[in-house]
Amino acid sequence: MSSNTTELAALDRSYRRTIYLWGNLTMAACLILATAVPFYLFFTVDVDVQVSQIVTAFIAVAAVYGVFWVVEPVTYFPILGPAGMYQAFMIGNIANKLLPSAIVAQSTIGALPGTKKASFAATAAICGAAVIHVVSMLVLVGLLGTWLVSITPDEITLIAQLYILPAILGGVTVQLIATLKQVRATIIALVISAVVILAIVPVTPPIMKSFAVAIAVIATIIATWFLRDRTEERRRAGAAAQGSAAGSSTPPGAAGGRDDDSTT
């Protein structure tokens, strides 16, 4: 039994290393393909673009969006897991589509973020969201898009352009609040966001507007951590300890049928 366990553990490590390697190679290949056309044009076509202009443009974009390169992976990873992170950043629309789908799926089956069960749920939810998105785009945009635009009055189109994004984000926010049912964290997030947007941004230099979301997210994470419900945390820790004790007392032959929901 011990030798079989050792062999299974070795196979599992080998499988993980293989997946990690091919995942990184795939990501690198996608990065090269996504950025190949501008580099191809720059080096092969007589385009009047200087390196200094490219650097200036990159700095301008990084000043606005660079903070999200750090904030998004840090905040998404505990919920999505490794596989979900790979899928999410390849598909896009994370905050308004994939992340809510993963959270609802985890909440529905009672999976705690950071566990293997939650990671699997996030992966399945992202697959489902991507399929629904592609099918709806093919039907509503690819097949019926031109017809729907032609019969839609201009007034409705203008209103939709103004309010569609707030409507989507507002609906997603309400859905997450209702699904997670974390009143304390919700109140903290709303208060900090209001303070940042209504009190800090108006009295600071204009560049602070670009970092408002990052400041609100980081401040919310820190405040929620220090003001979290430690009673609930101890209860979960006790339940996990009891589950571990029960698992260790399980006969070796019966251990294979137990659901492994350990942290990743």
Side-chain angles (χ1 to χ4, degrees):
M1 181 65 66
S2 177
S3 61
N4 291 336
T5 304
T6 303
E7 291 177 0
L8 289 176
L11 288 174
D12 182 66
R13 288 192 297 270
S14 176
Y15 174 76
R16 289 176 181 271
R17 284 195 297 267
T18 303
I19 294 298
Y20 180 78
L21 174 62
W22 282 106
N24 286 336
L25 290 176
T26 304
M27 289 290 287
C30 292
L31 176 62
I32 293 173
L33 290 174
T35 58
V37 174
F39 284 103
Y40 173 78
L41 295 176
F42 180 76
F43 288 109
T44 61
V45 180
D46 187 15
V47 180
D48 187 17
V49 177
Q50 305 298 324
V51 176
S52 59
Q53 294 174 322
I54 297 176
V55 174
T56 302
F58 174 80
I59 294 175
V61 173
V64 178
Y65 299 103
V67 66
F68 296 104
W69 303 342
V70 178
V71 172
E72 288 188 347
V74 171
T75 54
Y76 294 162
F77 182 80
I79 300 174
L80 300 181
M85 288 288 287
Y86 170 79
Q87 290 178 300
F89 280 93
M90 289 293 295
I91 296 172
N93 291 332
I94 303 176
N96 59 355
K97 181 180 69 175
L98 304 184
L99 189 66
S101 301
I103 292 176
V104 171
Q106 293 168 355
S107 177
T108 301
I109 65 175
L112 297 177
T115 61
K116 290 183 178 179
K117 186 177 182 181
S119 180
F120 294 151
T123 303
I126 290 173
C127 292
V131 170
I132 295 298
H133 179 78
V134 171
V135 172
S136 61
M137 290 289 288
L138 287 175
V139 176
L140 298 178
V141 178
L143 298 179
L144 304 178
T146 304
W147 176 73
L148 290 174
V149 171
S150 65
I151 65 173
T152 303
D154 295 337
E155 295 80 5
I156 296 179
T157 302
L158 178 61
I159 293 175
Q161 292 175 347
L162 291 175
Y163 297 106
I164 189 64
L165 182 60
I168 293 175
L169 295 181
V172 169
T173 302
V174 173
Q175 180 190 35
L176 294 180
I177 293 174
T179 300
L180 295 178
K181 297 182 176 65
Q182 296 184 7
V183 179
R184 181 177 306 187
T186 301
I187 294 175
I188 293 172
L190 292 176
V191 171
I192 291 178
S193 300
V195 170
V196 171
I197 299 299
L198 301 178
I200 296 179
V201 172
V203 298
T204 54
I207 193 173
M208 288 299 297
K209 185 177 180 181
S210 302
F211 298 93
V213 175
I215 294 173
V217 169
I218 295 174
T220 300
I221 293 174
I222 295 173
T224 305
W225 170 260
F226 284 105
L227 300 176
R228 69 190 186 278
D229 187 358
R230 290 176 172 79
T231 303
E232 178 66 16
E233 193 175 73
R234 287 193 292 269
R235 186 190 67 80
R236 290 181 177 180
Q242 292 178 359
S244 300
S248 61
S249 62
T250 304
R258 189 166 51 89
D259 182 23
D260 184 9
D261 194 26
S262 58
T263 56
T264 55

